[in-house]
Amino acid sequence: MTNSSIATQESSPHVLLSPIPLFFVFLWSTGFIVAKFGLPYAPPLTFLVLRFAGVLLLLVPLILVMRAPWPHGKVRHIAVAGVLVHAGYLAGVWCAIKLGMPAGLSALIVGMQPILTAFAAPLLGETVRPRQWLGLVFGLGGVALVVAAKMSLVGLSWQSLALCVGALCSITAGTLYQKRYCAQFDLRAGTVIQYGAAAVVLLPLAILFEGLTPALASVEWTPRFVGALLWSILALSIGAIFLLFALIRRSDATQVTSLLYLTPPTTAVMAWLMFGEAFNWLGIAGMVLAVVGVIFVVKK
């Protein structure tokens, strides 16, 4: 990646109609698949600490060799956004699932992020048009249809519900915060700051609640776990996040977050192909409705 490719770019009304957001949706959707592969072999906070550490091991030498520009004056803002987007969101969702939160319900709760972002859009000087509100409602309805077949309250507790709602609020706040205070920064250096801050927050929690030690006794190093960890580092924490940050800097927050409506349908298709999970006509109808909703939001 060259400096020119990550330099400050002007807002482009066509960026969300390019292949970039589709690739982002694909990568982001694999996060739930990674959880399915990784969580049986490591506690959630421990997995995330290893994930963040892996990102730092890869990117720190890279920014030193490439002499990536350091975002002076923005480090604190970038770190805050990183804690909210990475530590708050991922830890909340993964711990909720580990405590028994049904996957369908967690997807529906987190799927409310575009609506929350739209309500907060005036704080960023953005205007949500009536057609976009209609698209947001369509998108949420589509997500509800997709997860309806898997909707269950079995295993639900107030702790898992609180964690999932907290994750929703965290990623929404983090997206808005980054868009407002630090939308422009070198992706290499900024990502290191964000994952470093997230690791600093989660490490003591993993030690306190999961007994994390240098020996990593709580981790089973199976091929599935190693594969899930590597994919989460390379494809999710670097690939998907780089694309998300690029979209945030070039488009309205409401438009970018609306893409997350496509995550549950995409994940459902992946789970159907990989694990044989049910994906019926209701799910297909939900996917179509979600796509229509996103088009309403992002198209000028």
Side-chain angles (χ1 to χ4, degrees):
M1 183 179 294
T2 63
N3 285 337
S4 61
S5 67
I6 56 178
T8 300
Q9 302 176 46
E10 296 296 327
S11 177
S12 170
H14 304 297
V15 65
L16 292 175
L17 299 178
S18 71
I20 295 176
L22 297 180
F23 189 47
F24 162 73
V25 169
F26 167 76
L27 291 178
W28 194 265
S29 300
T30 64
F32 293 93
I33 305 299
V34 164
K36 191 176 183 69
F37 277 114
L39 280 180
Y41 306 105
L45 298 180
T46 298
F47 186 101
L48 292 174
V49 168
L50 291 175
R51 172 173 167 175
F52 298 163
V55 174
L56 296 176
L57 287 174
L58 287 176
L59 289 187
V60 169
L62 179 65
I63 66 173
L64 293 176
V65 170
M66 301 182 70
R67 297 182 179 179
W70 194 251
H72 296 289
K74 296 183 179 180
V75 172
R76 178 172 59 87
H77 290 311
I78 294 173
V80 170
V83 169
L84 291 170
V85 171
H86 303 305
Y89 168 66
L90 290 173
V93 171
W94 282 45
C95 288
I97 293 175
K98 189 71 173 181
L99 289 176
M101 166 71 77
L105 183 57
S106 64
L108 184 60
I109 292 173
V110 176
M112 295 178 66
Q113 184 196 350
I115 294 285
L116 292 185
T117 303
F119 277 113
L123 298 176
L124 303 176
E126 299 176 3
T127 301
V128 182
R129 299 184 300 277
R131 186 184 66 184
Q132 290 180 304
W133 279 113
L134 182 61
L136 291 169
V137 173
F138 280 0
L140 184 60
V143 171
L145 289 178
V146 169
V147 304
K150 301 179 181 180
M151 189 64 69
S152 170
L153 299 182
V154 176
L156 179 65
S157 64
W158 71 264
Q159 293 95 334
S160 62
L161 182 60
L163 283 167
C164 207
V165 172
L168 165 65
C169 296
S170 187
I171 192 172
T172 303
T175 302
L176 294 169
Y177 189 94
Q178 181 163 318
K179 180 68 177 179
R180 182 178 178 88
Y181 294 108
C182 52
Q184 308 290 342
F185 56 81
D186 182 277
L187 294 182
R188 298 160 298 184
T191 301
V192 166
I193 294 170
Q194 292 206 336
Y195 282 113
V200 167
V201 170
L202 291 190
L203 180 58
L205 296 178
I207 294 173
L208 179 63
F209 294 108
E210 298 177 352
L212 176 62
T213 64
L216 300 175
S218 60
V219 178
E220 296 181 48
W221 295 93
T222 65
R224 278 195 168 198
F225 174 78
V226 173
L229 181 61
L230 290 176
W231 181 266
S232 68
I233 292 171
L234 297 172
L236 289 168
S237 292
I238 295 179
I241 291 300
F242 271 32
L243 291 176
L244 175 62
F245 289 172
L247 292 171
I248 288 175
R249 71 168 56 171
R250 298 170 66 183
S251 305
D252 289 348
T254 300
Q255 292 178 312
V256 174
T257 57
S258 72
L259 295 172
L260 300 182
Y261 278 151
L262 302 180
T263 299
T266 305
T267 302
V269 172
M270 291 179 180
W272 172 60
L273 292 173
M274 297 179 67
F275 309 119
E277 293 187 8
F279 188 68
N280 53 26
W281 287 105
L282 193 63
I284 295 174
M287 176 179 289
V288 172
L289 188 59
V291 169
V292 171
V294 171
I295 291 175
F296 275 24
V297 176
V298 305
K299 192 171 183 180
K300 296 291 185 178

